[in-house]
Amino acid sequence: MDSEHEVCREDLSIHQGCHATIRPEPTRISSPRKMNIRRDKSREFDILLENSPLGIVLTDTQNRFIYVNPSFRNMLGYTEQEILSMDIASLTHPDSVAVSKNAIKEVFNSKGPVTIEKQYLHKSGSVIDANTRIAAVYDKSGNPLYQCTNVENITDKKVADQKLVYQATHDNLTGLINRYEFERRVEQLINTARDGEHEHVICFMDLDQFKVVNDTCGHIAGDELLRQLSGTINSTLREGDSLARLGGDEFGLLLQSCEPEHGSQIAETILDTVRNFRFIWDGKTHNVSISIGMVLITKCTTAVASLLSDADIACYMAKDMGRNRVQVYHAEDSVQMQRRGEMHWVASLNSAMDKGGMCLYAQPIVSVESPDNVHYEILVRLEDEKGGLVLPGTFLPVAEKYSLITKLDSWVVEQTLSGLAKNPLFYQRVDFVSINLSGISLADPDFLQFVVSLMAKNKIEGSKICFEITETAAISNLSMAITFITTVKELGCLFALDDFGTGLSSFGYLKNLPVDILKIDGLFVKDIADDPIDRAMVKSINEIGHVMGMKTIAEFVENDVIKDLLNVIGVDYLQGYGIGKPVPLSDLLD
C-alpha cells in the first residue's frame, strides 16, 4: 500500500456497513497511514467518520492501520499516534484470533461483508467485547485494497445480559443455582442416562430445625444460617456436582456420573457435615440436621416431574422415619407408593386452590321450631381431572398431614365471606352459615387475624357466621381454641362443637369451651331407631347442652322415623339427607 489507491464514496459509507462493490468516480488516498479525502463534500464526510458512535477502522492487506476514528481509539484507550503505529492483531484478544482470521478469509473469498463477535484488548489490559462487521474494498480490477471495519462496543450489554442470566438461574440469598436451573440440569442428565452407560444421583434435602432458628432468632438469622450452611455443604461436593436451593430450607443435589453406593456415601458425608455444623447467633449456638431423599437416574428415567416427585417422597420418608437420615427411593416399596398417592393429592390441592379447582357446597340445617329459619353448613369439594367431585374425606387428611389445611381453611373462609358480601339478597335471607375449621388453623394466630380482617373487609355481621370445630381438635388445642372462640364471639359470631360425643372426656371439657351449639355425632343419630344405647346418648348430649344454654344439632337425619324421634327428644336443629342434600353454594347465591 505504498502507492496511492482508488477508493469510492460508497466504499467508505459507514451507515451502509462498508459495502465496497460499487466503483463510481475514484477518490485518492495519499498516505498508507493517513487518509486524505478529496471530493465535493469531503468536509461532511470527515465529520461523519469522526463523530460516528461506532468504531471505524481501515486496515491494509497487511492488517496495518490506515485510519481509525475517535470512537475506536477511545474504545481501546489509545491516542491516534499510538494506534497507527500498531496492527489489528496486537489489539485482538488471543481467544478471538482464529475467528478473526476466518472472518477475513471469508470476506475476501465471498466479496461480501461478515459480522462476528470479537474481543479486543484495551490499553489497560481489560477485555472489550464488540460486534465487528468487516467488508473488503477492491480496486477497479477487482484486486483487494483494504478492509473497512465497523466496531460496536457491547461490553456493558454483555455484562448486563450475563447478570440477567445469573439472576434467572441463581438464588439471590445463597448464590446457589435455583429450582429452574436445577430442573434444567436434571433434564440434561436424564438425556445422558438414556444410553445406559451413565447413571446419576439426585437428592432432595430438607433442614430439620430451620423453623426453630427462624422463629426464635428472626428471618435475618435464618437467612444467614442458609448462607453459611449452603457454603459448608458445597465444600463437601465433587467438582461437577450441582447444589441448588429449591426454596425455603429445601435443597437439591445432582451427582453426575455417580454410582448408588458412592451417592449414599456423599449423602452420609453431608449428614455428618450438617450434624457437626454449629450456627452462632447473638452468642447462642444452634444445631441443625438434615433429611435427605435419594433417587437414581437411569436409562429407565423418563420425566423430570416424576423423578423430582420420587426424590421429594423419599425426603418425606426420611423425615417420617426420624429425620437426620438418608432414604433411598424404591418404586416397589408399599409405604412409598402410599406416599406417592398422598403427594398426588398435595399437588392437586395446591393447584386447585391456586387455579380455581375447588368449589363450595351448602347443606341446609333446619330449625325444628321454626322451619323457615334455614341456615347452611358450607362444605368444600375438589374437582378431579374428569370434572367429578372428590369428597373431603379423601383429601382433608392429606391437607392436615402436609400442612395445607390452614391454606384450605383460609380459602373456604375467604370464598364464603366474599360470596355473602356480593349477594345481599341471600345474605339477608339466610339465618347464618357454618364454616368448618381445623384445630391447626385455630392454633395459628395469623389465621385468627386473617378471619377478623376479612370479616371487616367484607362488612359481614358476626351473627351471620358460625364456626365449627371437631371436639377432638378443640381438646387437643384447648387454650388456643378458647382464645379463638372468645375473639370471634366478641365479633358476634357463633361457635359450634362438631361431632360431639366421640371424645374420651366430652362432658369434662365441655364446660371449659364457650360454645353456642353442640352438633351430636351422626354415628349416634343414624341408629337411634334401632339402638337404645345410641338413643340414650343422643338424649343425654341434648339435655346437657340445654342445661349449659347451648342449642343442639343432630347430624345424619336420613328419614322421617329418625326425625320424629329427634323431635320427641327435643333436639333444636336437624341436618342430613332426610332434610336436604348438599347443593352448590353458587346455586343458592344465584
Side-chain angles (χ1 to χ4, degrees):
M1 294 284 298
D2 293 334
S3 60
E4 294 182 344
H5 298 291
E6 294 180 344
V7 184
C8 66
R9 182 185 303 271
E10 285 78 0
D11 291 343
L12 300 177
S13 178
I14 307 305
H15 62 281
Q16 293 183 5
C18 295
H19 289 287
T21 56
I22 304 174
R23 301 177 180 81
E25 300 179 7
T27 307
R28 316 288 280 184
I29 296 179
S30 59
S31 167
R33 287 291 179 265
K34 187 173 182 181
M35 185 171 69
N36 186 14
I37 303 173
R38 301 182 183 92
R39 59 183 73 196
D40 292 340
K41 294 184 178 180
S42 60
R43 178 59 183 164
E44 289 85 347
F45 193 65
D46 287 345
I47 292 173
L48 176 63
L49 291 174
E50 294 293 304
N51 291 280
S52 171
L54 298 178
I56 309 298
V57 180
L58 291 182
T59 53
D60 62 20
T61 55
Q62 304 301 314
N63 286 328
R64 294 172 301 179
F65 289 112
I66 298 172
Y67 168 79
V68 292
N69 73 341
S71 290
F72 186 76
R73 299 196 301 268
N74 295 336
M75 190 186 304
L76 300 185
Y78 290 98
T79 65
E80 182 179 15
Q81 184 176 3
E82 288 173 330
I83 207 165
L84 289 176
S85 66
M86 307 169 72
D87 58 29
I88 194 68
S90 62
L91 297 176
T92 301
H93 190 278
D95 291 346
S96 294
V97 170
V99 68
S100 185
K101 286 182 178 179
N102 290 336
I104 293 171
K105 278 184 183 179
E106 187 177 344
V107 166
F108 284 107
N109 288 337
S110 66
K111 297 186 179 181
V114 172
T115 300
I116 60 172
E117 189 172 307
K118 179 179 176 179
Q119 290 184 319
Y120 293 88
L121 291 171
H122 191 274
K123 184 177 180 179
S124 66
S126 61
V127 177
I128 301 296
D129 292 289
N131 280 333
T132 301
R133 183 175 175 83
I134 307 170
V137 181
Y138 302 84
D139 62 19
K140 288 189 295 184
S141 300
N143 298 314
L145 294 177
Y146 50 83
Q147 299 155 205
C148 177
T149 305
N150 293 352
V151 183
E152 178 190 6
N153 188 345
I154 60 170
T155 304
D156 291 342
K157 180 179 181 298
K158 286 206 71 172
V159 170
D161 289 346
Q162 289 169 355
K163 185 177 180 180
L164 287 175
V165 170
Y166 182 87
Q167 290 175 341
T169 58
H170 287 74
D171 172 55
N172 290 333
L173 178 65
T174 62
L176 302 176
I177 61 173
N178 59 16
R179 179 179 287 272
Y180 168 81
E181 177 64 11
F182 182 75
E183 292 184 1
R184 188 188 69 82
R185 295 187 187 186
V186 169
E187 187 166 15
Q188 287 182 334
L189 291 189
I190 290 175
N191 292 332
T192 64
R194 285 178 181 151
D195 59 10
E197 297 181 2
H198 299 86
E199 289 187 338
H200 317 287
V201 169
I202 178 175
C203 295
F204 262 29
M205 305 185 292
D206 193 298
L207 294 182
D208 295 327
Q209 284 85 27
F210 176 72
K211 191 175 187 301
V212 175
V213 175
N214 218 31
D215 291 348
T216 58
C217 301
H219 293 294
I220 295 177
D223 288 348
E224 182 59 27
L225 169 59
L226 293 175
R227 272 191 292 264
Q228 291 184 21
L229 195 57
S230 61
T232 300
I233 295 174
N234 224 355
S235 66
T236 68
L237 303 179
R238 309 169 305 167
E239 184 177 353
D241 294 339
S242 299
L243 180 65
R245 184 184 178 211
L246 306 179
D249 60 344
E250 296 178 339
F251 296 86
L253 175 62
L254 281 178
L255 304 176
Q256 188 170 352
S257 300
C258 185
E259 297 294 328
E261 295 77 11
H262 192 192
S264 294
Q265 291 173 3
I266 294 174
E268 292 290 345
T269 299
I270 293 173
L271 280 184
D272 291 338
T273 300
V274 175
R275 190 184 298 117
N276 294 325
F277 177 80
R278 298 292 180 269
F279 177 65
I280 300 175
W281 188 263
D282 284 343
K284 295 182 179 179
T285 302
H286 301 271
N287 300 333
V288 292
S289 62
I290 198 166
S291 298
I292 303 177
M294 192 177 93
V295 182
L296 192 63
I297 302 175
T298 69
K299 63 180 180 181
C300 298
T301 305
T302 57
V304 174
S306 60
L307 179 68
L308 298 180
S309 176
D310 292 344
D312 201 18
I313 289 170
C315 185
Y316 269 109
M317 291 294 296
K319 283 185 170 294
D320 284 350
M321 296 174 67
R323 304 176 183 268
N324 191 31
R325 65 180 62 233
V326 179
Q327 177 65 40
V328 181
Y329 180 83
H330 299 290
E332 66 279 4
D333 189 312
S334 60
V335 177
Q336 292 182 356
M337 289 176 65
Q338 177 186 348
R339 177 72 69 170
R340 173 178 283 280
E342 292 173 345
M343 296 308 294
H344 164 77
W345 286 116
V346 169
S348 296
L349 278 171
N350 274 316
S351 177
M353 285 186 281
D354 295 338
K355 300 178 181 179
M358 306 289 294
C359 59
L360 295 179
Y361 272 58
Q363 185 175 25
I365 303 176
V366 178
S367 169
V368 173
E369 291 186 356
S370 306
D372 292 336
N373 295 341
V374 178
H375 74 272
Y376 296 90
E377 179 180 0
I378 303 301
L379 307 169
V380 64
R381 300 287 187 263
L382 172 65
E383 296 178 359
D384 63 22
E385 298 173 353
K386 297 181 180 179
L389 294 179
V390 181
L391 297 180
T394 302
F395 59 82
L396 285 184
V398 175
E400 290 188 350
K401 186 173 184 179
Y402 293 95
S403 303
L404 289 176
I405 194 64
T406 299
K407 180 179 179 180
L408 180 58
D409 284 348
S410 299
W411 184 89
V412 172
V413 171
E414 184 171 21
Q415 293 296 312
T416 302
L417 297 187
S418 63
L420 291 175
K422 294 174 183 176
N423 294 272
L425 291 179
F426 178 82
Y427 178 78
Q428 293 298 328
R429 179 170 59 86
V430 72
D431 198 13
F432 59 87
V433 296
S434 296
I435 303 174
N436 291 280
L437 300 178
S438 71
I440 296 173
S441 297
L442 255 67
D444 186 343
D446 292 337
F447 179 76
L448 174 57
Q449 184 57 44
F450 170 80
V451 171
V452 172
S453 62
L454 205 59
M455 290 190 64
K457 174 185 175 182
N458 288 283
K459 299 179 180 179
I460 301 297
E461 300 172 44
S463 60
K464 292 287 184 177
I465 303 298
C466 176
F467 291 108
E468 292 187 16
I469 185 174
T470 64
E471 176 195 4
T472 304
I475 291 172
S476 61
N477 299 276
L478 188 59
S479 62
M480 297 300 293
I482 292 174
T483 299
F484 188 98
I485 295 171
T486 302
T487 302
V488 296
K489 282 176 68 68
E490 289 174 356
L491 299 176
C493 299
L494 301 172
F495 212 93
L497 201 58
D498 198 7
D499 296 339
F500 188 79
T502 57
L504 297 177
S505 305
S506 298
F507 295 108
Y509 281 105
L510 186 58
K511 60 184 180 182
N512 296 314
L513 291 169
V515 298
D516 305 285
I517 299 171
L518 285 184
K519 294 192 74 173
I520 304 170
D521 193 288
L523 292 176
F524 302 123
V525 176
K526 66 186 182 69
D527 291 327
I528 61 172
D530 305 311
D531 191 327
I533 296 178
D534 286 343
R535 191 160 54 251
M537 285 292 297
V538 172
K539 184 178 180 181
S540 175
I541 294 171
N542 184 69
E543 290 176 352
I544 290 294
H546 286 169
V547 167
M548 299 183 71
M550 303 173 187
K551 297 292 184 179
T552 56
I553 298 175
E555 302 176 300
F556 286 28
V557 181
E558 307 295 333
N559 52 55
D560 289 341
V561 174
I562 296 176
K563 187 190 306 183
D564 292 340
L565 286 171
L566 292 171
N567 283 336
V568 172
I569 291 173
V571 172
D572 299 298
Y573 293 93
L574 306 178
Q575 179 181 8
Y577 277 27
I579 304 299
K581 295 182 179 180
V583 296
L585 178 61
S586 57
D587 290 355
L588 294 176
L589 297 179
D590 291 340

